[in-house]
């Protein structure tokens, strides 16, 4: 279907699709919760909805940085288990990669987590149901590369984080940062991310005592944070 096709010549199904695409482009939370699929605790494949409070807060923080403060989002998440932050972040990353041709990097603290995250990314891609999804050029245990698309996603472990330093990603997700054994590798990776408005870095972790990397970063950010949330009648965060 041509982009110049007059709306009056479109069928009801085509009009509905155009409206859905426009809504997804405008509303990232809607896009993710209606077109990305996870495997739940019962082993069922279902939509990533409804979004949890922690997931909504992360999306609101990213939007607030980009559209209110006009700065690149750099978000720290100190979390309990099963808050859905990794699930959401992988959906955000894949959205950026597919829509903008970005390069995304995920660093997990150990191999089982890296394998789990990669399987999540593959499931998102396999079940994505909107047009325009590129064909996979290659998919192995650590990389999704697409035909006719500049973007790709690579998944590393903290032990191999040095290998990621030669990349020039636009989106980085560092998982369980408090458990990394080599903090210097993390710092080098952070510095590879350009300070431009469309780049994104989310670093999340569960607590690990007095870890030398994440806890000092968190305490400094927490002490200087001015962003507070209230909640509307639909349980959506308002920065």
């Amino acid at each position: 279907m041509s982009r110049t096709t007059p709306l009056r010549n479109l069928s009801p199904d085509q009009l509905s699709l155009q409206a859905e695409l426009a809504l997804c482009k405008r509303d990232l939370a809607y896009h993710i919760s209606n077109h990305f699929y996870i495997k739940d605790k019962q082993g069922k494949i279902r939509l990533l909805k409804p979004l949890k409070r922690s997931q909504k807060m992360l999306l609101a923080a990213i939007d607030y940085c980009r559209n209110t403060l006009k700065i690149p989002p750099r978000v720290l998440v100190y979390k309990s288990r099963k808050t859905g932050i990794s699930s959401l972040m992988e959906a955000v990353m894949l959205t950026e990669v597919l829509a903008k041709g970005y390069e995304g990097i995920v660093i997990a603290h150990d191999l089982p987590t890296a394998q789990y995250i990669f399987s999540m990314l593959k499931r998102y891609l396999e079940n994505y149901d909107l047009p325009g999804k590129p064909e996979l050029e290659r998919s192995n245990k650590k990389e999704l590369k697409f035909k006719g698309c500049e973007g790709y996603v690579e998944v590393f472990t903290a032990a191999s984080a040095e290998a990621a330093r030669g990349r020039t990603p636009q989106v980085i997700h560092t998982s369980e940062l408090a458990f990394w054994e080599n903090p210097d590798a993390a710092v080098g990776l952070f510095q590879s991310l350009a300070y431009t408005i469309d780049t994104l870095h989310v670093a999340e972790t569960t607590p690990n005592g007095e870890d030398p990397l994440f806890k000092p970063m968190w305490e400094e950010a927490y002490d200087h944070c001015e962003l507070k949330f209230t909640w509307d009648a639909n349980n959506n965060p308002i920065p």
Side-chain angles (χ1 to χ4, degrees), residues 167-193:
R167 309 298 198 272
T168 55
Q170 289 75 49
V171 186
I172 296 177
H173 170 208
T174 46
S175 177
E176 295 294 354
L177 192 54
F179 294 83
W180 284 30
E181 295 182 0
N182 184 3
D184 291 338
V187 174
L189 177 62
F190 302 163
Q191 293 173 346
S192 71
L193 195 63

Side-chain angles (χ1 to χ4, degrees), residues 2-13:
S2 170
R3 291 186 178 183
T4 60
T5 303
L7 291 179
R8 65 178 179 274
N9 294 338
L10 299 180
S11 69
D13 286 345

Side-chain angles (χ1 to χ4, degrees), residues 71 143 152 221:
I71 62 173
E143 182 182 19
Y152 65 84

Side-chain angles (χ1 to χ4, degrees), residues 98-117:
L98 295 179
K100 303 174 183 177
Y102 283 176
E103 300 173 8
I105 288 179
V106 185
I107 312 288
H109 75 292
D110 61 16
L111 183 58
T113 305
Q115 292 171 334
Y116 174 77
I117 288 175

Side-chain angles (χ1 to χ4, degrees), residues 13-71:
D13 286 345
Q14 289 172 328
L15 283 171
S16 177
L17 176 58
Q18 290 300 302
E20 183 70 9
L21 291 171
L23 180 55
C24 288
K25 185 175 181 180
R26 184 173 68 250
D27 189 334
L28 181 58
Y30 176 88
H31 185 182
I32 288 173
S33 59
N34 286 277
H35 297 284
F36 285 78
Y37 289 78
I38 60 169
K39 180 183 284 188
D40 64 18
K41 294 179 180 179
Q42 288 73 42
K44 296 180 179 179
I45 304 299
R46 63 168 180 82
L47 284 169
L48 183 59
K49 64 186 302 185
L51 294 179
K52 300 177 180 179
R53 280 176 71 100
S54 56
Q55 293 171 325
K56 291 179 179 181
M57 289 177 69
L58 177 54
L59 287 176
I62 293 171
D63 180 76
Y64 185 76
C65 287
R66 283 180 171 165
N67 297 312
T68 301
L69 299 180
K70 307 297 183 182
I71 62 173

